[in-house]
Amino acid sequence: PEDTTASRLRLAGLCFLLQILTIILFAVFVRYSPEGSSSPCSQQLNCSWKNRDLGFQHPRFRHVHLQALLGFGLLVAFLGRYGPGSVAISILVMAFAIQWAVLIQGFLYFFLNGKIYVGAQSMVSADFCTAAVLISSGALLGRVNPRQMLLLTLLGVTLFSINEYILLSLMGISDSGGCLTVHTFGAYFGLMVSRILHQPHTDKRNEQQDMGHQPDVFTVLGTISLWIFWPSFASATTVHNNAEPWAVLNTYFSLAASILAAFVLSPVLYEESTLRMVQIQDATLAGAAVMGMAGEMLATPFGALIAGFLAGLIPPLGFRFLTPVLRSRLKTQDTCGVHNVHGLPGILGALLGTLLTALATADAYGGRLELVFPLVAQGSRTATNQALCQLCALPVTLLLASLGGCLTG
């Protein structure tokens, strides 16, 4: 009892300190973005929101927010032993991550005359950041306490923002759905923290999943919310000018094909007669992750189906063959399997995005080229150079995620 009281008080103290710190920083730096004027928003952040007044009225802002809260919150709840607790922790992580992300990203992108100007765009960016941290926390559930989760959030948000700034602003990458910045970074950052915190005697994923109904209910809700909100999440920072939202279409096609892939492989690899809901959820996430970079590009509908199908094959194969090897050889413990669901599909998505970038032509994209690849449209880069930059962004992200994860762990 002494220990639990002390740890409860330590958690309360940490929450109090962090909240007071953010209030002071907000008081000093954060102001509303001036209405009607073009907000101080760098072109590289994919702020191709020409109709800025749509900001909060636009359903995409709400969808991104709901996706971060519902989608990611419920996805970690399939662990029977940690279900409700993990949802509570994910809401705590989200509550702090949004505040901290507004500050860190504000200093990088929305800083002008000594003040951070916040609007709809900064909130969407903060939600993307929160999503990455929630993915990282999926690798650690059940092995870290809420205080450690808060510290993970503090460092994770900071490192995420630095990685995103390097990719989007310095390298000029197109990654609207967060294929590298959210999925790949979140997964490998969490895995490296998990590796450092390795405990020899913890249970495997299977033993942590109760077979009761409650986790399945959570999983069903999480998966349905993914289907409803992910296309908006993937297209939140893309073209708005009454153009057909390619990111929405490509993401839907990818999600559809990934589910069929799960039904193709799981009966072959596992002896169960019906698929467990968590396997369908994994396939859905993989299908969403693979379209993170390629979504707004000319992936073509059949290309999106192929990418989604390939991504949907990754989780069943990964859990069957790769996870046991990683657990025994590299000593990584990955509670929610983020490596198979976010990490590998994220890498596949980055390679797909690179291929599509190399094939981009002004004829095929028309006026959209300027919004998807501004540097190519301006003539300061060829499509091949842009593709090389997209490819280089992958090792940069993996390096930053790994080093950051070691430090955080």
Side-chain angles (χ1 to χ4, degrees), residues 175-241:
D175 188 21
S176 61
C179 180
L180 284 175
T181 51
V182 176
H183 295 284
T184 310
F185 180 84
Y188 287 97
F189 176 72
L191 282 169
M192 284 310 289
V193 178
S194 167
R195 173 67 192 87
I196 303 292
L197 299 181
H198 173 69
Q199 299 158 334
H201 307 299
T202 43
D203 305 325
K204 297 187 176 76
R205 166 182 160 126
N206 303 346
E207 290 156 25
Q208 289 172 345
Q209 286 175 329
D210 281 352
M211 291 298 112
H213 291 299
Q214 179 198 11
D216 269 358
V217 171
F218 277 133
T219 310
V220 170
L221 291 172
T223 307
I224 290 171
S225 68
L226 279 179
W227 268 86
I228 296 169
F229 299 122
W230 200 288
S232 292
F233 184 88
S235 64
T237 58
T238 60
V239 185
H240 277 233
N241 288 0

